[in-house]
Tab-separated table of all heavy atoms in Angstrom:
chain	number	residue	atom	x	y	z
U	83	ALA	N	-26.358	-0.452	-21.622
U	83	ALA	CA	-25.934	-1.136	-22.845
U	83	ALA	C	-26.710	-0.641	-24.062
U	83	ALA	O	-26.132	-0.402	-25.137
U	83	ALA	CB	-26.117	-2.652	-22.669
U	84	THR	N	-28.016	-0.468	-23.895
U	84	THR	CA	-28.822	0.030	-25.019
U	84	THR	C	-28.444	1.448	-25.385
U	84	THR	O	-28.342	1.796	-26.578
U	84	THR	CB	-30.307	-0.052	-24.656
U	84	THR	OG1	-30.646	-1.389	-24.259
U	84	THR	CG2	-31.180	0.362	-25.828
U	85	ALA	N	-28.248	2.285	-24.374
U	85	ALA	CA	-27.881	3.677	-24.636
U	85	ALA	C	-26.532	3.767	-25.334
U	85	ALA	O	-26.347	4.581	-26.260
U	85	ALA	CB	-27.854	4.466	-23.329
U	86	TYR	N	-25.595	2.913	-24.959
U	86	TYR	CA	-24.272	2.977	-25.592
U	86	TYR	C	-24.335	2.493	-27.039
U	86	TYR	O	-23.660	3.055	-27.916
U	86	TYR	CB	-23.286	2.146	-24.795
U	86	TYR	CG	-21.869	2.268	-25.284
U	86	TYR	CD1	-21.150	3.446	-25.093
U	86	TYR	CD2	-21.250	1.220	-25.960
U	86	TYR	CE1	-19.852	3.563	-25.553
U	86	TYR	CE2	-19.956	1.333	-26.428
U	86	TYR	CZ	-19.263	2.514	-26.220
U	86	TYR	OH	-17.979	2.638	-26.682
U	87	ALA	N	-25.123	1.443	-27.300
U	87	ALA	CA	-25.264	0.965	-28.680
U	87	ALA	C	-25.904	2.034	-29.564
U	87	ALA	O	-25.461	2.278	-30.701
U	87	ALA	CB	-26.091	-0.318	-28.697
U	88	LEU	N	-26.931	2.684	-29.057
U	88	LEU	CA	-27.550	3.775	-29.821
U	88	LEU	C	-26.601	4.948	-29.993
U	88	LEU	O	-26.610	5.621	-31.035
U	88	LEU	CB	-28.831	4.229	-29.124
U	88	LEU	CG	-30.003	3.235	-29.149
U	88	LEU	CD1	-31.167	3.775	-28.325
U	88	LEU	CD2	-30.451	2.975	-30.583
U	89	PHE	N	-25.773	5.196	-28.984
U	89	PHE	CA	-24.795	6.288	-29.094
U	89	PHE	C	-23.818	6.033	-30.240
U	89	PHE	O	-23.504	6.943	-31.019
U	89	PHE	CB	-24.038	6.435	-27.778
U	89	PHE	CG	-22.796	7.267	-27.892
U	89	PHE	CD1	-22.865	8.648	-27.985
U	89	PHE	CD2	-21.540	6.656	-27.916
U	89	PHE	CE1	-21.712	9.409	-28.092
U	89	PHE	CE2	-20.386	7.407	-28.025
U	89	PHE	CZ	-20.473	8.793	-28.117
U	90	LEU	N	-23.336	4.799	-30.376
U	90	LEU	CA	-22.413	4.499	-31.458
U	90	LEU	C	-23.073	4.673	-32.826
U	90	LEU	O	-22.464	5.212	-33.761
U	90	LEU	CB	-21.876	3.074	-31.302
U	90	LEU	CG	-20.970	2.792	-30.099
U	90	LEU	CD1	-20.576	1.323	-30.056
U	90	LEU	CD2	-19.732	3.673	-30.125
U	91	VAL	N	-24.325	4.227	-32.928
U	91	VAL	CA	-25.025	4.349	-34.203
U	91	VAL	C	-25.250	5.819	-34.553
U	91	VAL	O	-24.978	6.264	-35.689
U	91	VAL	CB	-26.354	3.587	-34.154
U	91	VAL	CG1	-27.170	3.838	-35.421
U	91	VAL	CG2	-26.111	2.091	-33.969
U	92	LEU	N	-25.726	6.589	-33.598
U	92	LEU	CA	-25.997	8.010	-33.851
U	92	LEU	C	-24.710	8.790	-34.082
U	92	LEU	O	-24.664	9.692	-34.939
U	92	LEU	CB	-26.778	8.595	-32.678
U	92	LEU	CG	-28.196	8.035	-32.478
U	92	LEU	CD1	-28.810	8.593	-31.211
U	92	LEU	CD2	-29.074	8.361	-33.689
U	93	TYR	N	-23.660	8.447	-33.340
U	93	TYR	CA	-22.391	9.157	-33.508
U	93	TYR	C	-21.800	8.895	-34.896
U	93	TYR	O	-21.303	9.820	-35.567
U	93	TYR	CB	-21.421	8.728	-32.414
U	93	TYR	CG	-20.080	9.402	-32.481
U	93	TYR	CD1	-19.963	10.788	-32.432
U	93	TYR	CD2	-18.913	8.662	-32.590
U	93	TYR	CE1	-18.735	11.408	-32.490
U	93	TYR	CE2	-17.669	9.266	-32.660
U	93	TYR	CZ	-17.595	10.648	-32.606
U	93	TYR	OH	-16.364	11.264	-32.672
U	94	GLY	N	-21.849	7.632	-35.335
U	94	GLY	CA	-21.371	7.335	-36.671
U	94	GLY	C	-22.189	8.031	-37.750
U	94	GLY	O	-21.643	8.479	-38.764
U	95	THR	N	-23.504	8.147	-37.531
U	95	THR	CA	-24.354	8.840	-38.502
U	95	THR	C	-24.022	10.316	-38.582
U	95	THR	O	-23.944	10.901	-39.681
U	95	THR	CB	-25.829	8.646	-38.116
U	95	THR	OG1	-26.116	7.243	-38.023
U	95	THR	CG2	-26.733	9.287	-39.149
U	96	LEU	N	-23.812	10.961	-37.438
U	96	LEU	CA	-23.481	12.385	-37.434
U	96	LEU	C	-22.130	12.662	-38.081
U	96	LEU	O	-21.971	13.638	-38.816
U	96	LEU	CB	-23.496	12.913	-35.996
U	96	LEU	CG	-24.868	12.974	-35.305
U	96	LEU	CD1	-24.711	13.434	-33.865
U	96	LEU	CD2	-25.804	13.914	-36.061
U	97	VAL	N	-21.152	11.803	-37.825
U	97	VAL	CA	-19.832	12.001	-38.425
U	97	VAL	C	-19.890	11.780	-39.934
U	97	VAL	O	-19.203	12.463	-40.704
U	97	VAL	CB	-18.805	11.063	-37.763
U	97	VAL	CG1	-17.458	11.140	-38.465
U	97	VAL	CG2	-18.638	11.413	-36.294
Side-chain angles (χ1 to χ4, degrees):
T84 305
Y86 186 71
L88 291 176
F89 165 76
L90 293 177
V91 173
L92 294 174
Y93 180 58
T95 304
L96 292 177
V97 174

